[in-house]
């Protein structure tokens, strides 16, 4: 019992957050203790508020503050292209590139027999529903380039291609700024296989 | 505008915490978004609660949930010895050693002319007041072994010794489990200087 009870409680709650060990939790707790009460309360409010306001977009299943997210309801976005991702955070990653102006569809996971996650647990049924209803020309599959993501990509391709919709997959290869010497053999193999004429 | 407004707000608040960059803030925000509302609210509550209940102990200026902290009000602690530290977190560090059963006094900083912090901004006046009132025999100065901490230790020693109270300083030297080869020269010099007969 080195801490007052309410400090212990705060430390317990902070340590449950991802990436925070006892040291970083202690650092944050002491920062909060010395911070203005208004500053600490703004953080507490932001946590409560985000849980109160955020729901899933009824179309793409990204996080949204209303029934339809700001991307789906933006008339400037190209609604003929849909980029399929595993998680809402992937939408943010792709938006940051500023290279894409279509819509999204968030699967909320990837097919993973190891973890007992099958196609029916993902938002795949909802994606198929959008194909017909929204007049989509191209589905870009941007699941992660790992076993689960590739399995999901193949599954989706087999499901969607027969419906006459173009299905593409984001490229795998060496990261820009990367070093051939340090690339793993699978990535390097993919980079060779997917070589393009200059 | 890659995030919904309330997510952006939460990210802004999380990024203000010490040790959290944009990546770790994003990771925590997404964890909170997928967590049970009850879990997220417990964290928010703990933050508000700690600011509401925690004040400074009227005797030692450690964090406390009442006017006197649990250490000062514990009759089993040796009230003739007071360990002087810079910050409340230092009390926790010393308590963890389980080597000390006296009381504490938290200065809330160290003398630092560079940062414009003089003796009058620290709880030194209050420490002198305790010397007479509480019949203290020994003051252990456990400020940090850096320039500010050493300056503060010297200042306190000059102030307290003439009052007939024993003043000691925690030892500097090689950390246990450390390696002579990698010790900095100042620490190694101190370790030599403070050598003890075996």
């Amino acid at each position: 019992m080195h801490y007052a009870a309410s400090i212990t409680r705060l430390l317990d709650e902070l340590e449950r957050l991802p990436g925070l060990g006892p040291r970083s939790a202690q650092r944050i707790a002491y920062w909060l203790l010395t911070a203005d009460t208004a500053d600490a309360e703004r953080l507490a409010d932001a946590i409560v508020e985000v849980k109160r306001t955020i729901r899933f977009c009824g179309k793409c299943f990204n996080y949204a503050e209303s029934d339809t997210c700001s991307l789906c309801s933006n008339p400037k976005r190209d609604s003929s292209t849909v980029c399929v991702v595993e998680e809402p955070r992937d939408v943010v990653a792709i938006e940051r590139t500023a290279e894409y102006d279509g819509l999204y569809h968030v699967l909320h996971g990837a097919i993973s027999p190891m973890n007992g996650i099958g196609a029916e647990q993902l938002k795949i049924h909802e994606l198929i529903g959008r194909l017909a209803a929204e007049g989509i020309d191209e589905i870009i599959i941007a699941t992660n380039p790992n076993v689960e993501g590739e399995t999901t990509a193949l599954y989706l391709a087999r499901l969607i291609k027969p419906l006459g919709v173009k299905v593409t997959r984001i490229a795998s290869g060496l990261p820009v700024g990367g070093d051939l010497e340090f690339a793993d053999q699978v990535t390097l193999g993919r980079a060779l296989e997917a070589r393009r004429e200059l």
Side-chain angles (χ1 to χ4, degrees), chain A:
Chain A
M1 225 295 288
H2 305 147
Y3 295 104
S6 61
I7 299 181
T8 305
R9 199 183 137 217
L10 176 60
L11 285 170
D12 287 346
E13 294 300 332
L14 286 172
E15 280 175 34
R16 301 177 65 233
L17 298 176
L20 294 193
R23 288 237 155 222
S24 31
Q26 195 194 356
R27 198 166 159 207
I28 291 174
Y30 277 116
W31 185 89
L32 286 167
L33 279 163
T34 50
D36 283 352
T37 300
D39 282 350
E41 282 176 354
R42 266 214 313 282
L43 171 61
D45 282 351
I47 294 167
V48 172
E49 191 66 8
V50 90
K51 296 302 286 185
R52 200 181 60 78
T53 58
I54 296 293
R55 66 197 89 171
F56 292 124
C57 170
K59 271 176 79 178
C60 74
F61 299 94
N62 188 11
Y63 289 126
E65 281 185 316
S66 48
D67 292 337
T68 311
C69 77
S70 57
L71 289 163
C72 284
S73 54
N74 184 347
K76 287 184 190 154
R77 308 287 300 206
D78 171 12
S79 62
S80 70
T81 312
V82 168
C83 179
V84 177
V85 296
E86 293 182 21
E87 299 292 344
R89 79 193 78 182
D90 302 328
V91 173
V92 176
I94 293 175
E95 281 299 289
R96 281 214 187 98
T97 68
E99 292 280 343
Y100 181 69
D101 73 342
L103 300 181
Y104 291 92
H105 191 86
V106 183
L107 297 174
H108 287 274
I111 294 171
S112 171
M114 289 276 285
N115 299 310
I117 296 170
E120 65 289 348
Q121 272 129 299
L122 306 176
K123 301 291 180 194
I124 290 177
H125 182 76
E126 291 81 353
L127 175 62
I128 304 304
R130 289 181 71 182
L131 288 179
E134 297 177 30
I136 292 164
D137 295 332
E138 181 179 353
I139 294 286
I140 303 172
I141 306 180
T143 52
N144 288 324
N146 55 24
V147 175
E148 288 82 8
E150 295 292 359
T151 306
T152 311
L154 277 175
Y155 179 89
L156 287 176
R158 279 194 206 135
L159 200 66
I160 298 169
K161 267 186 180 170
L163 306 174
V165 177
K166 186 175 166 190
V167 180
T168 57
R169 176 88 174 104
I170 53 162
S172 277
L174 290 183
V176 178
D179 203 321
L180 217 79
E181 187 185 357
F182 302 120
D184 66 287
Q185 54 196 23
V186 181
T187 301
L188 196 50
R190 287 275 190 97
L192 275 171
E193 189 190 322
R195 67 190 178 279
R196 296 200 304 181
E197 203 170 330
L198 292 177

